[in-house]
Amino acid sequence: MNENPVALGSEAETSSKTAVKMRGTGVDVFYGDKQALFGVNLDIPENQVIALIGPSGCGKSTFLRCLNRMNDTIDICRVTGEITLDDQNVYDPSVDVVELRARVGMVFQKPNPFPKSIFENVAYGPRIHGLARTRSELEEIAVTSLEKAGLFEEVKDRLHEPGTGLSGGQQQRLCIARAIAVSPEVILMDEPCSALDPIATARVEELIDDLRQNYTIVIVTHSMQQAARVSQRTAMFHLGYLVEEDETDTIFTNPSNPKTQDYITGRYG
Amino acid sequence: MIATLLLVLVACAIGAFVIGRNRAIAIAGGKVASLHSRPSHHGASLAIVCVVPALALIVLWSIIAPNVMDTAVLSRFSAELADYGVPQIEGFLRDSRAVAFGGIAGFTDELTEQAAAYYQSLNATGNMILAAGTALFVLAGLYLGYRAIKLRTRARHLVERFILVILIACSAVAILTTIGIVLSLVVETFRFFQKVPATDFLFGLHWSPQSAFEGAGREALAQDQSKIFGAIPIFAGTLLITAIAILVAGPIGLMSAIYLSDYAGPRFRAVAKPILEILAGVPTVVYGFFAALTVAPFLRNLGESVGTSVSSESALAAGLVMGIMIIPFVSSLSDDVINAVPQSLRDGSAALGATKSETIRKVVLPAALPGIVSALLLAISRAIGETMIVVMAAGLAANLTINPLEAVTTVTVQIVTLLVGDQEFDSAKTLAAFALGLALFCITLTLNVIALRVVQKYRERYD
Ligand SMILES: Nc1ncnc2c1ncn2[C@@H]1O[C@H](COP(=O)(O)OP(=O)(O)OP(=O)(O)O)[C@@H](O)[C@H]1O
Ligand SMILES: [Mg+2]
């Protein structure tokens, strides 16, 4: 495996359309001695949805977790290369990881609301970052976040009941609201719909489309249809390499790499 | 004799098992699957049918036979024993049995020798009858059981039911014992309250049962009797020492649990956790002399150097050491519940930009709180029941005080001192121990029930 695929989506094309929010340059990731990512170069365009696809174990989650340094919580994980957020290297020692994660939020595969009330779940982030000075400000943040996440109407009468009592789809939207509440610039989503039924999935997908106006979104998904529906750009990973990155339409209609072709048509083993 | 019989029965059971199994296989004619029950079920059921009735016979016999023999001996020598009193007759029987079956006879004469000889002949006859009966039961069981082995015999059901009966019997032992203990506590407490009014016991401020006056003139002092059984001081002492212990063990245990679960590396954890658990295995008497010989003098010297007087036996010394003793309970149980908080919650919090300590304080601990509370409650009930450390380090003086530098005493210690030494069984002093025991039992029971309820609630939360 000595080919060295590089991002094919040409930079000139990308930047002519929209600004680059985050950029990975030569990102290598090691878990102990095992290398999980090999020299990944990828641009995350601002106010767009970019989907990361690829077979299981190819490093999608690993790359995603580099973007907000969640890999720091894994002792054996080592990241080299450069990842920038607005041209600032996020692995620079001067960068405060707390601040970074406030700017780059994350939604996990399995809904993980805190065992607190719905309101407290959303208020958690603003509280620790001191975003609200008064109770009413806090409430306002919570309500707007829930509204943006399309959950407010469903839960407005039971804001003080436990978040764990919601349905799976509602819980996932609660987690999105929780991420939105700290006003991030980028939202990372790792298979956010894999634990949801089709109706809840549709709601979350709608929501992602709405959120695009104000946020930059990176979504990992195993569903080709989902990638096609929600994303503007798609990046294909394979065995730790970024194989291809382009407009979603191009990837799905006319991929330039045969591996991508195989994967999206389901011929990949 | 009975031991031999039991050994024979074991051999019979094994034999019957093999016979039954082989018979079943033979009946099936190679097609074992055509049997209703597995061959081993047939074997086991044959063994049961063989051995259980015989076993019952032996048990019954060993309960009844001694009495029967005693009665026979008494009626035979009734003429010679006519002028014996009850204690003499008992002594006579004891001595004769000792002569007959080996043992230490107190006093032997012509009569005991004769009685012993009679005992021996009775016993020999009896043993023969028993052996014959056992053999009969075994053979009958074997015959009937063997004949009953057919293709469709439901041997499995018999075996399953037998196992069920044994399980029920075992749990009945535990439950009945508990009920028995509680009942005897209640009854004796009731008797105590007939001597000393319950209100005096529960609300009295003065505890000095050692001055209870026994013997002549007791009635004259009956008035004061009830005034020396006021339990408030010793419950206060228990409370004081337990509170000190929890103040020590709560924070230390909790923080070490947090360190172990969230900060310590796996290698440190692998070493530290067993060590903590060893701490729980140190005999309390060791803690006790540690408290009495090291901590108490240290506290007294410390007190002297800052100019306060600390009595050489103090609630503080006992409480501190007891706190150390229950640290493992708190830390080990809390560590388990903190670990049980899903990693996804920690990740969720970290992804929102919370630091590790914020995550622990605001997400992990609240989620684990019910479990931690129940760990604390279990530690408290352990502390309340602790005796040794208090005897050695806190003293016996029932002072009603909240000053931890003074000597106090606890309920368990007082129960010990009430029952040590020769006591009339139904004196108020002895009965007071039952009342204290019952009160203690109620308290720890309540704590345990609360702890259990809290844990149950906690279980429901993540699913
Ligand atoms: N904590 C870890 N420790 C060691 N190796 C890891 C760890 N996490 C991931 N890996 C390895 O890194 C590689 C990439 O894993 P990653 O989770 O990024 O894959 P993925 O593309 O997200 O897969 P999936 O679609 O199944 O989620 C895999 O080979 C995996 O075994
Ligand atoms: Mg993944």
Side-chain angles (χ1 to χ4, degrees):
Chain A
M1 183 60 64
N2 233 349
E3 56 186 315
N4 195 8
V6 286
L8 296 178
S10 86
E11 260 171 47
E13 193 187 59
T14 313
S15 49
S16 72
K17 278 186 185 156
T18 153
V20 173
K21 185 69 186 172
M22 296 191 82
R23 166 173 289 159
T25 319
V27 178
D28 292 321
V29 179
F30 303 84
Y31 290 110
D33 295 334
K34 189 171 162 285
Q35 188 163 1
L37 281 185
F38 300 83
V40 172
N41 301 309
L42 181 64
D43 289 350
I44 314 283
E46 187 158 23
N47 289 354
Q48 289 202 357
V49 180
I50 179 167
L52 311 185
I53 61 171
S56 190
C58 65
K60 308 178 295 291
S61 301
T62 301
F63 182 75
L64 197 70
R65 292 164 61 90
C66 289
L67 297 177
N68 68 343
R69 291 181 54 179
M70 275 303 278
N71 283 332
D72 291 11
T73 60
I74 301 172
D75 294 333
I76 56 168
C77 184
R78 196 160 51 82
V79 180
T80 61
E82 196 184 59
I83 292 174
T84 58
L85 171 63
D86 289 340
D87 295 326
Q88 157 93 53
N89 186 358
V90 301
Y91 279 91
D92 193 89
S94 68
V95 168
D96 181 14
V97 63
V98 167
E99 212 175 298
L100 169 70
R101 289 183 191 151
R103 290 175 68 190
V104 183
M106 186 161 195
V107 176
F108 294 83
Q109 175 171 5
K110 210 174 141 228
N112 58 349
F114 302 132
K116 302 172 183 289
S117 72
I118 294 170
F119 175 78
E120 287 299 325
N121 261 285
V122 184
Y124 180 82
R127 271 221 181 94
I128 56 177
H129 294 293
L131 297 184
R133 263 163 298 137
T134 62
R135 173 88 190 173
S136 59
E137 272 182 38
L138 193 64
E139 273 166 12
E140 198 186 308
I141 293 178
V143 169
T144 11
S145 311
L146 284 169
E147 272 168 353
K148 281 192 202 158
L151 187 62
F152 185 68
E153 282 306 311
E154 287 160 66
V155 301
K156 63 181 175 205
D157 301 325
R158 45 173 176 154
L159 286 178
H160 296 284
E161 284 170 32
T164 41
L166 297 174
S167 76
Q170 288 172 327
Q171 285 186 13
Q172 195 60 299
R173 277 179 285 148
L174 177 62
C175 292
I176 294 174
R178 189 173 73 183
I180 294 173
V182 290
S183 322
E185 296 155 37
V186 183
I187 303 176
L188 313 175
M189 299 184 173
D190 195 347
E191 303 179 40
C193 299
S194 63
L196 305 185
D197 70 72
I199 296 172
T201 301
R203 298 251 6 207
V204 172
E205 285 177 3
E206 254 171 58
L207 172 61
I208 293 172
D209 211 46
D210 292 344
L211 293 176
R212 176 159 61 95
Q213 316 304 326
N214 304 308
Y215 305 93
T216 300
I217 294 173
V218 187
I219 178 171
V220 172
T221 177
H222 276 225
S223 154
M224 296 306 109
Q225 293 88 332
Q226 183 168 68
R229 279 194 298 263
V230 301
S231 71
Q232 284 71 54
R233 300 191 71 83
T234 297
M236 163 77 191
F237 284 73
H238 184 250
L239 294 178
Y241 292 91
L242 175 65
V243 178
E244 180 169 8
E245 193 269 352
D246 210 329
E247 303 223 342
T248 299
D249 289 344
T250 317
I251 292 266
F252 280 95
T253 52
N254 188 20
S256 51
N257 191 301
K259 287 212 185 74
T260 315
Q261 174 83 42
D262 287 353
Y263 184 67
I264 59 177
T265 54
R267 242 176 290 149
Y268 185 88
Chain B
M1 175 63 194
I2 287 186
T4 327
L5 275 182
L6 289 180
L7 277 180
V8 171
L9 277 190
V10 171
C12 288
I14 295 170
F17 178 84
V18 174
I19 293 173
R21 199 188 50 185
N22 290 347
R23 170 73 179 161
I25 293 174
I27 281 182
K31 278 180 288 177
V32 172
S34 64
L35 286 167
H36 170 268
S37 310
R38 319 284 319 133
S40 61
H41 286 131
H42 284 288
S45 90
L46 187 61
I48 292 170
V49 171
C50 258
V51 166
V52 171
L55 200 64
L57 176 74
I58 293 176
V59 170
L60 216 62
W61 181 273
S62 52
I63 294 173
I64 294 174
N67 288 326
V68 173
M69 287 198 292
D70 287 353
T71 322
V73 170
L74 284 182
S75 67
R76 169 133 183 199
F77 297 97
S78 57
E80 291 86 338
L81 294 173
D83 51 349
Y84 277 38
V86 174
Q88 282 101 321
I89 289 182
E90 271 176 15
F92 165 75
L93 289 177
R94 198 164 45 238
D95 288 342
S96 328
R97 275 198 301 263
V99 172
F101 307 125
I104 299 165
F107 169 82
T108 54
D109 58 10
E110 191 69 12
L111 196 60
T112 36
E113 298 287 349
Q114 285 176 16
Y118 189 48
Y119 257 122
Q120 273 168 343
S121 77
L122 278 178
N123 191 44
T125 328
N127 279 345
M128 254 155 64
I129 297 174
L130 178 60
T134 309
L136 187 71
F137 275 39
V138 169
L139 290 177
L142 195 60
Y143 176 68
L144 294 176
Y146 189 80
R147 277 198 4 173
I149 298 178
K150 307 251 167 59
L151 267 187
R152 307 307 305 164
T153 306
R154 307 190 159 205
R156 195 174 57 212
H157 295 194
L158 180 75
V159 175
E160 296 291 324
R161 208 161 308 144
F162 182 71
I163 291 173
L164 182 68
V165 167
I166 289 185
L167 293 181
I168 289 178
C170 289
S171 39
V173 168
I175 293 170
L176 291 180
T177 318
T178 314
I179 292 178
I181 290 175
V182 173
L183 275 186
S184 89
L185 278 179
V186 169
V187 169
E188 301 298 333
T189 304
F190 188 70
R191 283 175 61 198
F192 174 68
F193 285 156
Q194 285 173 337
K195 294 179 187 261
V196 175
T199 47
D200 284 355
F201 173 74
L202 290 175
F203 304 112
L205 299 181
H206 181 65
W207 176 265
S208 57
Q210 301 305 340
S211 61
F213 194 72
E214 302 292 340
R218 166 163 59 176
E219 285 71 25
L221 290 164
Q223 283 289 298
D224 301 352
Q225 270 273 65
S226 65
K227 296 291 177 234
I228 59 173
F229 285 109
I232 293 270
I234 59 176
F235 278 102
T238 305
L239 202 69
L240 180 62
I241 290 184
T242 306
I244 295 172
I246 286 300
L247 282 182
V248 172
I252 296 182
L254 194 55
M255 296 205 194
S256 57
I258 291 172
Y259 178 73
L260 275 182
S261 62
D262 276 86
Y263 288 92
R267 221 173 309 147
F268 179 80
R269 201 181 134 81
V271 177
K273 222 181 165 203
I275 289 183
L276 265 175
E277 269 147 24
I278 288 174
L279 205 58
V282 176
T284 57
V285 67
V286 174
Y287 283 109
F289 61 69
F290 177 61
L293 302 181
T294 314
V295 177
F298 171 76
L299 287 176
R300 196 180 53 229
N301 294 341
L302 197 72
E304 267 167 19
S305 64
V306 296
T308 52
S309 85
V310 181
S311 71
S312 55
E313 293 178 321
S314 66
L316 189 59
L320 285 179
V321 174
M322 198 190 278
I324 303 286
M325 182 193 82
I326 58 178
I327 284 175
F329 286 84
V330 180
S331 66
S332 197
L333 288 174
S334 309
D335 176 49
D336 290 345
V337 294
I338 291 175
N339 260 325
V341 174
Q343 180 63 30
S344 66
L345 292 185
R346 294 184 172 87
D347 286 348
S349 173
L352 286 168
T355 61
K356 196 158 187 171
S357 78
E358 279 170 335
T359 301
I360 290 171
R361 266 185 296 127
K362 302 201 169 144
V363 175
V364 177
L365 285 187
L369 192 65
I372 293 172
V373 168
S374 72
L376 284 177
L377 287 178
L378 287 180
I380 289 177
S381 57
R382 180 71 214 261
I384 288 179
E386 174 50 37
T387 317
M388 220 55 219
I389 295 175
V390 192
V391 176
M392 295 170 88
L396 302 172
N399 293 325
L400 182 55
T401 175
I402 54 161
N403 180 357
L405 303 180
E406 279 182 46
V408 297
T409 190
T410 66
V411 178
T412 49
V413 170
Q414 286 308 311
I415 293 178
V416 173
T417 57
L418 284 173
L419 295 181
V420 168
D422 287 337
Q423 299 290 344
E424 243 182 283
F425 187 70
D426 53 359
S427 73
K429 229 169 111 181
T430 316
L431 292 177
F434 285 97
L436 289 180
L438 185 66
L440 205 58
F441 174 78
C442 291
I443 292 172
T444 38
L445 183 71
T446 317
L447 285 179
N448 279 330
V449 167
I450 294 175
L452 257 160
R453 294 293 295 271
V454 171
V455 168
Q456 271 170 1
K457 232 181 172 168
Y458 165 73
R459 284 228 182 88
E460 292 163 2
R461 289 187 73 163
Y462 300 128
D463 310 331

